[in-house]
Structures are given as structure tokens and as C-alpha cells.
Amino acid sequence: MIEVKDLRKEYADDGVKTIALDGVSFNIREGEFVAIMGPSGSGKSTLMHIMGFLDRPSSGIYTFKGQGIEELNDDQLAYIRNEKIGFIFQFFNLLPRTTVFSNVKLPLVYTKISEEEKRARVIKAIESVGLSHRINHYSNQLSGGEQQRVAIARAIVNDPAVIFADEPTGNLDSKSGQQIMEILQTLNDAGHTIILVTHELYTSEMAKRLIRIKDGQIISDELIKDRKIAKNGLIK
């Protein structure tokens, strides 16, 4: 599904060049659950932004489902971001005085499906994260864990090819974090490709594969033999 080859990303600020990614290469197959782990400033978020079509590399090759990023214009990138990719962020990025239903519906606003189909998809996504009883609540009336579950529902409402989760438990208590990780594991078991960016070892060990990154370079890439399974989540 994803091919990354000799990827580099450089930033220039007042003539000072900073190398965020320095020759990164790996492949991700459909259906994998991959954690990309590294300390702050390691380049992991930069890498996710490029893979999620939020940024472009300075050089190297990034191919998504057989299509190179350099072949795509801004409109095509926007289409892929909305239709093929789901995003989950540390700070949720929800509209605060808007209902759960409306937040989850956002990715469907510009799709051509009927309103009836949109409603059915939204309800299904909300049900899948155990929030049917909160469907008409405003997002700022929810706990942090509930807000992140809304963000997951929004990420999956378009049935994306891949879900990017950037520090999804970083702003949550341990119980809520366990619930979020179980939902991600359940989505992966159902066939979704998950790419998790984290600096937390206990979170990364709930994936099936761990890529470690430091100073813009991959220092290890291995399967997790003793994968931890979240036990306190909602979906059984």
C-alpha cells in the first residue's frame, strides 16, 4: 500500500537548514498495524504529515497505492486526504459547540452520496465507538476519552484505506488511553491499516510492527512478537 524510499525533508529558517528526515525507506502492506516511535524532534510527525499528504518531501519517493506524491496536484491531494485517509490527533480537533453527529459528518460534507446514506454512515461510525447515547451532545460536553472516540468515528466514517493516529492517547488518562487503543486494535482486526505515531513504549507495543526513528533516520524496524492487547476498551 505504501512505499517510502530515501525520503528527505529539509526546512530552512533565516538561512539555517534543519534536516527533519534523512533518507528514510520502508514499505507498509495493506492491513498492517504499524507504530512509528521516537522522541520529540525525531522526525516521526514530519513523516506522518508526508504520508498523510499534509506535506511534501524535499526529495525521495513516496508512493500510495501505486501513485507517487509528485504526480498529484493540490486538488488530488485534498481528495485523497478526504476519501482515502482518516486522521486522529492528540488534541482531537473537534468543533467545540457542535454535536457529535455533526463532527463525525464533516468528512462527508463534500461527497456526492445522499443525505440518507450520510446519516447511516455517521450513525454506524458513532455506534462503533460506543457513543450512540452521546450522539446529540456537543463535543465540549464530553470527557477527553469520549472526544477522542468522536475523532475516531470521524476518521472512519469514509471507510478510509489507512488511518493515521498521531499520539492518540497523549492527552488522556491511562483508562481512556486503553479504550482508544482497543478501538484501534479492533479496527485493525477488521482490516483497516493503522499507522500510529507515538513516543510512548506501552502504546507502541499494542501495534504489530514497530519502526523506531531518531534524528530523522530509522534505527530499527521489527515485528512485535509479544503484542500487548488493550483490555479496558468498549468494543468486544
Side-chain angles (χ1 to χ4, degrees):
M1 173 180 284
I2 287 174
E3 179 184 3
V4 173
K5 187 174 182 181
D6 199 24
L7 210 63
R8 293 180 62 88
K9 181 65 180 181
E10 300 177 358
Y11 297 98
D13 186 13
D14 292 331
V16 178
K17 184 171 69 174
T18 300
I19 299 176
L21 295 175
D22 188 13
V24 171
S25 300
F26 59 87
N27 295 328
I28 294 176
R29 298 185 305 276
E30 186 172 357
E32 283 199 90
F33 189 162
V34 181
I36 299 174
M37 182 183 176
S40 178
S42 62
K44 61 185 186 298
S45 290
T46 299
L47 179 58
M48 191 207 75
H49 289 161
I50 292 173
M51 289 194 296
F53 299 98
L54 297 171
D55 199 359
R56 292 180 183 266
S58 300
S59 63
I61 296 172
Y62 173 45
T63 303
F64 179 80
K65 303 191 80 169
Q67 193 162 27
I69 191 172
E70 72 282 353
E71 304 169 5
L72 304 171
N73 60 36
D74 289 345
D75 288 342
Q76 290 170 320
L77 292 178
Y79 171 80
I80 291 176
R81 282 195 300 268
N82 190 60
E83 298 286 337
K84 305 297 182 182
I85 291 172
F87 292 100
I88 305 165
F89 298 100
Q90 178 177 352
F91 294 105
F92 323 135
N93 291 357
L94 302 177
L95 299 178
R97 289 178 294 277
T98 307
T99 65
V100 169
F101 182 93
S102 295
N103 268 286
V104 175
K105 187 182 177 182
L106 277 175
L108 301 176
V109 168
Y110 297 108
T111 60
K112 296 179 180 179
I113 62 176
S114 67
E115 285 299 317
E116 183 179 358
E117 175 63 18
K118 288 178 183 179
R119 180 174 177 80
R121 287 193 189 186
V122 171
I123 291 173
K124 180 180 178 182
I126 293 171
E127 286 177 346
S128 75
V129 298
L131 284 180
S132 296
H133 62 298
R134 298 287 202 186
I135 194 167
N136 292 315
H137 283 65
Y138 292 119
S139 62
N140 57 350
Q141 295 176 318
L142 307 180
S143 68
E146 288 174 330
Q147 288 185 58
Q148 192 61 293
R149 282 149 57 190
V150 175
I152 293 175
R154 181 185 59 191
I156 65 175
V157 73
N158 258 337
D159 193 25
V162 58
I163 299 168
F164 289 97
D166 190 2
E167 303 281 6
T169 64
N171 201 36
L172 302 175
D173 60 59
S174 58
K175 181 178 179 181
S176 296
Q178 286 275 336
Q179 292 175 339
I180 296 305
M181 290 309 302
E182 180 170 337
I183 292 172
L184 292 179
Q185 288 176 336
T186 302
L187 289 170
N188 178 243
D189 291 343
H192 288 276
T193 304
I194 310 287
I195 299 175
L196 168 73
V197 173
T198 183
H199 69 277
E200 298 172 327
L201 181 59
Y202 86 93
T203 301
S204 69
E205 289 176 340
M206 296 180 190
K208 296 177 181 177
R209 176 183 169 194
L210 175 58
I211 297 174
R212 294 178 183 266
I213 188 169
K214 183 179 181 181
D215 298 329
Q217 296 181 326
I218 291 177
I219 58 175
S220 66
D221 183 351
E222 58 189 352
L223 297 177
I224 299 177
K225 295 180 181 179
D226 299 319
R227 182 194 188 198
K228 294 182 179 178
I229 304 298
K231 298 178 181 178
N232 298 323
L234 299 167
I235 302 176
K236 302 299 181 184

